[in-house]
Amino acid sequence: MKIRLFIFVFFMAVFGFAQTSKASYKKEIYKSKKSKTLSKKKYTITEPKETDLTLYADEANYIAKQISYAAQENIGAKYKSGGTNQNGFDCSGLVFSTFLLYDIILPRTSKEMSDYGNTVESNNAKLGDLIFFSTNNSGRVNHVGIITDILDNDIKFIHSSVHKGVIISSLNENYYKKSFIKINRILD
């Protein structure tokens, strides 16, 4: 009798726990404030559904940190027009491929990227936000980076520079201060 009771308790513990564990791994869909959705499995930007849940700030912050760290793994890679890997990146290729590591699919060009997410003021910038520039004096976006650090009076960002490859720069540098256009938040 004791053996049967032991076996029953053992199976209930194992199978009951397994069912609870499986339930906690269900894929959920999240949406940002701009009514674009993110899913833990595939972070594609789509229209919202009635069943969408909120992407909580802690989850967005975690993903932003991971994206920042992943981008920094590429520091020193050379610039390559159209490049999206360690053999060479262009600015949007670095952003595109870094976000793609976390199944977040962004457009491929900096101009198209600038149309996604919510525009935020520079004093509200966060880690993982995209920062856009017009480096050719046209007033149109042609360069993008990922914000890696927010300091008291400065914003640091990683990008692929034509002459220096993948580097971290400062918004306080004259060149970037003059060409700055805006900051967009993709992960909200």
Coordinates of all heavy atoms in Angstrom, one line a residue, residues 13 19-20 22-23 33 57 67 90 99-100 124 137 140 149-151 171 178 183-184:
A13 N 3.5 14.3 -8.8 CA 4.5 15.4 -8.7 C 5.2 15.7 -10.0 O 5.3 16.8 -10.4 CB 5.5 15.1 -7.6
Q19 N 3.1 19.6 -16.4 CA 2.0 20.4 -17.0 C 2.1 21.9 -16.6 O 1.9 22.7 -17.5 CB 0.7 19.8 -16.6 CG 0.4 18.5 -17.3 CD -0.9 17.8 -16.8 OE1 -1.4 18.2 -15.8 NE2 -1.3 16.8 -17.5
T20 N 2.4 22.2 -15.4 CA 2.5 23.5 -15.0 C 3.7 24.2 -15.7 O 3.6 25.3 -16.2 CB 2.8 23.6 -13.4 OG1 1.7 22.9 -12.8 CG2 2.9 25.0 -13.0
K22 N 5.0 23.4 -18.7 CA 4.6 23.7 -20.1 C 3.7 24.9 -20.2 O 3.9 25.7 -21.1 CB 3.9 22.4 -20.6 CG 4.9 21.3 -20.9 CD 4.2 20.1 -21.5 CE 5.1 18.9 -21.6 NZ 4.4 17.7 -22.1
A23 N 2.8 25.1 -19.3 CA 1.9 26.2 -19.4 C 2.7 27.5 -19.2 O 2.3 28.5 -19.9 CB 0.9 26.1 -18.3
K33 N 3.2 50.6 -27.5 CA 2.3 51.7 -27.4 C 1.8 52.2 -28.8 O 0.8 52.8 -28.9 CB 2.9 52.9 -26.6 CG 3.0 52.6 -25.2 CD 3.5 53.8 -24.5 CE 3.7 53.5 -23.0 NZ 4.4 54.5 -22.3
A57 N 7.8 47.0 -19.4 CA 9.1 47.7 -19.5 C 10.3 46.9 -19.2 O 11.3 47.0 -19.8 CB 9.0 48.9 -18.6
I67 N 20.4 43.6 -27.1 CA 20.7 44.2 -28.5 C 21.9 45.0 -28.4 O 22.8 45.0 -29.3 CB 19.5 44.9 -29.0 CG1 18.4 43.9 -29.4 CG2 19.8 45.9 -30.1 CD1 17.1 44.5 -29.8
D90 N 27.3 48.1 -43.2 CA 27.0 49.5 -43.3 C 26.1 49.8 -42.1 O 25.8 48.9 -41.3 CB 26.3 49.8 -44.7 CG 25.0 49.1 -44.9 OD1 24.4 48.6 -43.9 OD2 24.5 49.1 -46.0
F99 N 19.2 43.5 -34.6 CA 17.9 43.3 -34.1 C 17.4 41.9 -34.6 O 16.6 41.2 -33.9 CB 16.9 44.4 -34.6 CG 16.9 45.6 -33.7 CD1 18.0 46.5 -33.7 CD2 15.8 45.8 -32.9 CE1 17.9 47.6 -32.9 CE2 15.8 46.9 -32.1 CZ 16.8 47.8 -32.1
L100 N 17.8 41.5 -35.8 CA 17.4 40.2 -36.3 C 17.9 39.0 -35.4 O 17.2 38.0 -35.3 CB 17.9 40.0 -37.7 CG 17.4 38.8 -38.5 CD1 15.9 38.9 -38.7 CD2 18.1 38.8 -39.9
N124 N 14.7 61.9 -23.3 CA 14.0 60.7 -22.9 C 14.6 59.4 -23.6 O 13.9 58.4 -23.5 CB 12.5 60.8 -23.3 CG 11.8 61.8 -22.4 OD1 12.1 61.9 -21.2 ND2 10.9 62.6 -22.9
N137 N 24.1 66.5 -45.4 CA 23.5 67.9 -45.4 C 22.2 68.0 -46.3 O 21.8 69.1 -46.7 CB 24.5 68.9 -45.9 CG 25.7 69.0 -45.0 OD1 25.5 68.9 -43.8 ND2 26.9 69.1 -45.6
R140 N 17.7 64.7 -45.0 CA 17.0 63.4 -45.0 C 17.8 62.4 -44.3 O 19.1 62.4 -44.4 CB 16.7 63.0 -46.4 CG 15.5 63.7 -47.1 CD 15.3 63.3 -48.5 NE 15.7 64.4 -49.3 CZ 16.4 64.3 -50.4 NH1 16.9 63.2 -50.8 NH2 16.7 65.4 -51.0
D149 N 24.4 54.0 -24.4 CA 24.6 54.5 -23.1 C 24.0 55.9 -23.1 O 24.1 56.7 -24.0 CB 26.1 54.6 -22.8 CG 26.4 54.6 -21.3 OD1 25.5 54.5 -20.5 OD2 27.6 54.8 -20.9
I150 N 23.4 56.2 -21.9 CA 22.9 57.6 -21.7 C 23.6 58.1 -20.5 O 23.6 57.6 -19.4 CB 21.3 57.5 -21.3 CG1 20.6 56.7 -22.4 CG2 20.8 58.9 -21.1 CD1 20.5 57.3 -23.8
L151 N 24.3 59.2 -20.7 CA 25.0 59.9 -19.6 C 24.3 61.2 -19.3 O 23.3 61.6 -20.0 CB 26.5 60.1 -20.0 CG 27.2 58.8 -20.5 CD1 28.5 59.2 -21.1 CD2 27.3 57.9 -19.3
L171 N 27.0 61.8 -29.2 CA 26.2 62.8 -29.8 C 26.8 64.2 -29.5 O 26.5 65.1 -30.2 CB 24.7 62.7 -29.3 CG 23.7 63.6 -30.0 CD1 23.7 63.3 -31.5 CD2 22.3 63.4 -29.4
K178 N 25.7 68.2 -35.3 CA 25.2 69.0 -36.4 C 24.3 68.1 -37.3 O 23.3 68.7 -38.0 CB 26.3 69.5 -37.3 CG 27.1 70.6 -36.6 CD 28.2 71.1 -37.5 CE 29.0 72.2 -36.8 NZ 30.1 72.7 -37.6
I183 N 15.4 60.5 -32.7 CA 15.6 59.2 -32.0 C 14.2 58.5 -32.0 O 13.2 59.1 -31.7 CB 16.0 59.4 -30.5 CG1 17.4 60.0 -30.5 CG2 16.0 58.0 -29.7 CD1 17.9 60.4 -29.1
N184 N 14.2 57.2 -32.4 CA 13.0 56.4 -32.4 C 13.1 55.2 -31.4 O 14.2 54.6 -31.4 CB 12.7 55.8 -33.8 CG 12.1 56.9 -34.7 OD1 12.0 58.0 -34.4 ND2 11.6 56.4 -35.8

